[in-house]
Amino acid sequence: MANRIEFSPGVKKEWEGILTRYPVKRAALIPTLHLAQREFAVLTTEVEEYVAALMDLSVTDVHEVVTFYTLLPRRPRGKRHIRVCRDLPCHLLGSAEIIDRLEKRLGVPPGETTDDAQWSWEEVSCLGSCDVAPMMQVDETYVGPLEVDGLADLFDRIENGETPQALPRDCDVPEKIVSTNFGRKEACRLRTYRASGGYEMLGKILTGMTPVQVRDTVKAGNLRGLGGAGFPAAVKWGFIPKDTDKPVYLVVNADEGEPGTFKDRYILEWDPHRMIEGMAIAAYAIGAHHAYIYVRGEYRRPTQRLQAAIDEAEAAGFLGEKILGTGFDLKTVIHVGAGAYICGEETALLESLEGKKGWPRLKPPFPAVVGAFGSPTIVNNVETLAYVPEIFRRGPAAFDEIADGCERSGGMRILSLSGRVKRPGPYELPLGTSLRKLIFEHGGGISGGRKLKAVIPGGASAPVLTADEIDVGCDFDDLRKAGSMGGSGAVIVLDDSD
C-alpha cells in the first residue's frame, strides 16, 4: 500500500536543498526529521516509514534515531509547549516547587497534554540558562528567573499572549574580550562586530600567513580547548595528517549541555561573528573547506541569530568562495541537534552529525585522523574559536600573559556562575582568577546571608570542592591539582542548607 502522507511541494524542495549540504545522504536524517516534525507535528510510524523511503534507509534505522533523541515527538503535543528545567542550578533555587505548582495549574502530569490540547509540558535537564534559574522554556522563549508566588500571574500573562523573555546578565569585570558585546543593542549584527575591528585578522591571515604560521601563533598564545578537556588547541590542529587525500572538516561543538553551562549560548546569541571569524581562521589553519556547526536543538534563538550572521558574513565575503578575494573557500552549515546530552562528547556529536544515534566512538582512531564521514576532522567548541582572533590582534605573548600566571594556559575564559550566589552570570576572567574571587568579589557572595558549603568548578561532571578548597585558580592545571577539573567552566555554588 502506498504511503498516504508526503511533504508538501515547498517542504520537499527545502528537503532537496538540505541533501546538498552533506557528503552522504544519511547525514541529512535529523534535519529531515525536523522538517517532518514541522510538517506533520508527530513522528508516527507512518511518518517514519515515509522518511525511511525518502532517505533510502530501513524503518528500523529511522525509528532508533527518533527514539534516541528527546526533541523528536512521537506523541501529540499541545498548541503551546513548556519545558521546565530540573537540573542542579534550577533545583537549588526551587524548580521542584515550580514543577509542582505548574502540574496543579495545568491539571496534567509532566509529559502529558491538557484535554483541550492547548498545553503540553515536560521536565527536562539543563537548558543552558542557569544564570536565570529557576527557568523554563515556553515554545522557543526562555523565561526566568521564576518565582513560586508569581507563577500564577506569569502564567496568566503567557495565556494572554505575553511571554516575558529572560534578560541577559550584565557582568561587570575589569576587561572583556569575547563578552564585549553581550547585551548590547544590535550586538549580533555584522556592523557591530566590524566597528571594533571584526574580520580584520581574518583578512591579514589569509593574505599574509601560511597555515603553519597560524598554528604556531595560536600555539604560542597557549590557547586551550575551553569545552571541557583543556587540550592545547593548536596542538590538536596539528594532528591532521599532512598527506591525506580526503577532505578535512572543521566541526564546531555548540551542543553545550553540561549542567550549569551557558557561556556558548551567550556567544551565539550576542556575538556570533566573533566565533565565525575564529572558525574561518581555524579552518584555514587545518586546510578545511567545510565547517559544520552542531547546535543543540533547544537553542532556537541562538541558532536563528547564528544563521543570520552566517548569511551576513557570506554576503560580505567573509565566508563562502574565494574569501576576501583569496583562493580560500569555506562552506558553512548549521546542523541542529535533536536533544541528547551525550552529543556534547565530540565522537558522539560526530555520530549524530552523520545521522545516527549519538553513541560515543572508541578511540583511537581519533577524529583528527578518522572523524566526520570517515575523514580527518577537528572538533572545537564555540568559546575556543571565539578567542582565536584576539591572539592575532594582541600578539601571542600578550594574549598568553592575560592568564595571570598560568604556566600552560593563555588568555581568559567565560565562567558560568550559578547556584547560591547573589549575582549569577557569565564572567569573563583571566584563567588564573581564584574561585574565591569569582564567587565573593564578582558574584557578590552567597545569597540569603548563608555560608558557602561547596563548589562544583567545572560542570556537574567535576568533583566537588569544599568551602576551604576554593583558594585555587580556575585554570585547568590548578583545578586538576586540587582534585577537580576545569571542565566546561560551569561554577555551581552550594550553601550550607544544601
Side-chain angles (χ1 to χ4, degrees):
M1 180 182 295
N3 202 302
R4 294 172 300 186
I5 63 170
E6 62 180 345
F7 284 149
S8 59
V11 173
K12 184 68 174 293
K13 185 175 181 180
E14 188 176 349
W15 173 74
E16 291 169 349
I18 287 173
L19 293 181
T20 65
R21 302 172 188 170
Y22 301 91
V24 297
K25 189 173 184 179
R26 177 161 184 166
L29 177 56
I30 291 178
T32 300
L33 290 169
H34 285 312
L35 277 186
Q37 179 182 350
R38 194 179 78 199
E39 182 89 327
F40 309 118
V42 182
L43 302 180
T44 62
T45 298
E46 191 177 23
V47 173
E48 290 181 359
E49 291 171 351
Y50 173 63
V51 170
L54 279 178
M55 297 296 298
D56 300 323
L57 296 170
S58 71
V59 177
T60 301
D61 288 334
V62 175
H63 181 71
E64 69 175 12
V65 169
V66 170
T67 55
F68 181 83
Y69 296 94
T70 62
L71 299 181
L72 300 175
R74 303 192 71 247
R75 299 175 61 186
R77 286 178 173 170
K79 185 178 179 180
R80 305 197 69 181
H81 188 69
I82 296 175
R83 297 183 177 92
V84 185
C85 180
R86 55 169 169 72
D87 225 308
L88 183 56
C90 285
H91 175 74
L92 290 173
L93 298 176
S95 65
E97 192 170 356
I98 295 289
I99 289 168
D100 182 64
R101 292 284 185 94
L102 191 57
E103 182 171 353
K104 292 176 180 176
R105 171 77 184 225
L106 294 174
V108 294
E112 299 294 333
T113 301
T114 57
D115 291 340
D116 60 4
Q118 291 299 303
W119 291 97
S120 56
W121 74 293
E122 61 183 322
E123 299 176 53
V124 298
S125 186
C126 188
L127 288 166
S129 193
C130 318
D131 53 325
V132 293
M135 58 81 62
M136 64 184 180
Q137 185 178 22
V138 182
D139 300 324
E140 298 183 4
T141 303
Y142 279 15
V143 181
L146 303 174
E147 296 179 358
V148 172
D149 292 338
L151 190 62
D153 178 65
L154 171 63
F155 206 79
D156 287 340
R157 293 167 63 190
I158 292 172
E159 286 185 320
N160 290 326
E162 179 188 355
T163 306
Q165 182 169 306
L167 298 176
R169 297 287 189 178
D170 183 16
C171 298
D172 186 23
V173 293
E175 181 179 12
K176 295 182 179 181
I177 298 174
V178 170
S179 63
T180 298
N181 291 326
F182 288 0
R184 290 181 57 190
K185 185 179 180 181
E186 300 268 299
C188 60
R189 301 300 300 274
L190 176 61
R191 59 175 171 266
T192 303
Y193 185 53
R194 293 199 69 184
S196 59
Y199 289 109
E200 289 181 1
M201 294 304 103
L202 176 62
K204 291 181 179 180
I205 287 166
L206 294 184
T207 57
M209 297 182 73
T210 66
V212 173
Q213 289 173 326
V214 173
R215 295 198 299 269
D216 288 346
T217 301
V218 173
K219 185 176 182 180
N222 270 328
L223 176 67
R224 294 173 72 164
L226 300 173
F231 194 82
V235 174
K236 188 176 186 179
W237 295 355
F239 291 158
I240 294 290
K242 295 179 175 58
D243 57 350
T244 183
D245 57 356
K246 296 181 178 181
V248 175
Y249 294 100
L250 175 64
V251 175
V252 182
N253 186 344
D255 190 67
E256 181 177 52
E258 178 74 1
T261 315
F262 49 87
K263 57 189 175 61
D264 288 351
R265 178 180 62 82
Y266 266 80
I267 297 169
L268 295 177
E269 192 164 337
W270 294 103
D271 205 355
H273 283 285
R274 193 177 302 272
M275 187 279 293
I276 291 171
E277 183 176 17
M279 176 190 72
I281 293 170
Y284 175 71
I286 66 173
H289 298 287
H290 294 82
Y292 289 92
I293 307 174
Y294 188 109
V295 185
R296 65 178 300 188
E298 295 88 347
Y299 280 3
R300 304 289 182 85
R301 177 172 163 176
T303 300
Q304 292 167 357
R305 289 193 169 184
L306 176 61
Q307 185 61 64
I310 290 172
D311 294 342
E312 283 187 313
E314 289 179 345
F318 299 120
L319 289 177
E321 297 182 359
K322 298 180 180 179
I323 295 175
L324 296 175
T326 68
F328 181 63
D329 303 336
L330 183 61
K331 179 181 178 181
T332 304
V333 173
I334 295 177
H335 183 96
V336 178
Y341 164 75
I342 191 60
C343 288
E345 194 276 330
E346 65 176 7
T347 63
L349 183 151
L350 295 176
E351 287 287 297
S352 184
L353 177 63
E354 294 178 358
K356 307 168 189 173
K357 295 181 293 185
W359 282 2
R361 300 173 180 176
L362 293 175
K363 295 185 287 189
F366 291 92
V369 179
V370 181
F373 317 116
S375 296
T377 302
I378 293 297
V379 183
N380 283 137
N381 89 309
V382 170
E383 187 188 9
T384 305
L385 295 173
Y387 276 110
V388 168
E390 192 68 18
I391 298 173
F392 296 87
R393 188 172 289 113
R394 293 182 182 232
F399 181 84
D400 183 31
E401 289 173 0
I402 300 173
D404 192 18
C406 299
E407 184 178 346
R408 296 170 36 186
S409 299
M412 307 169 79
R413 80 175 305 188
I414 300 174
L415 298 162
S416 303
L417 181 64
S418 68
R420 304 284 196 176
V421 66
K422 291 180 181 177
R423 296 194 296 267
Y427 289 89
E428 185 176 20
L429 295 164
L431 275 159
T433 303
S434 71
L435 284 171
R436 183 178 298 278
K437 185 174 183 178
L438 168 66
I439 295 166
F440 287 96
E441 182 175 322
H442 298 291
I446 310 305
S447 56
R450 303 197 70 96
K451 294 182 179 180
L452 175 67
K453 182 174 188 177
V455 179
I456 301 174
S461 301
V464 179
L465 297 178
T466 60
D468 59 357
E469 295 177 314
I470 64 169
D471 291 304
V472 57
C474 293
D475 172 51
F476 293 97
D477 297 326
D478 289 347
L479 286 169
R480 178 180 53 79
K481 292 174 184 176
S484 190
M485 63 183 188
S488 62
V491 181
I492 306 172
V493 178
L494 292 82
D495 70 20
D496 57 358
S497 70
D498 296 321

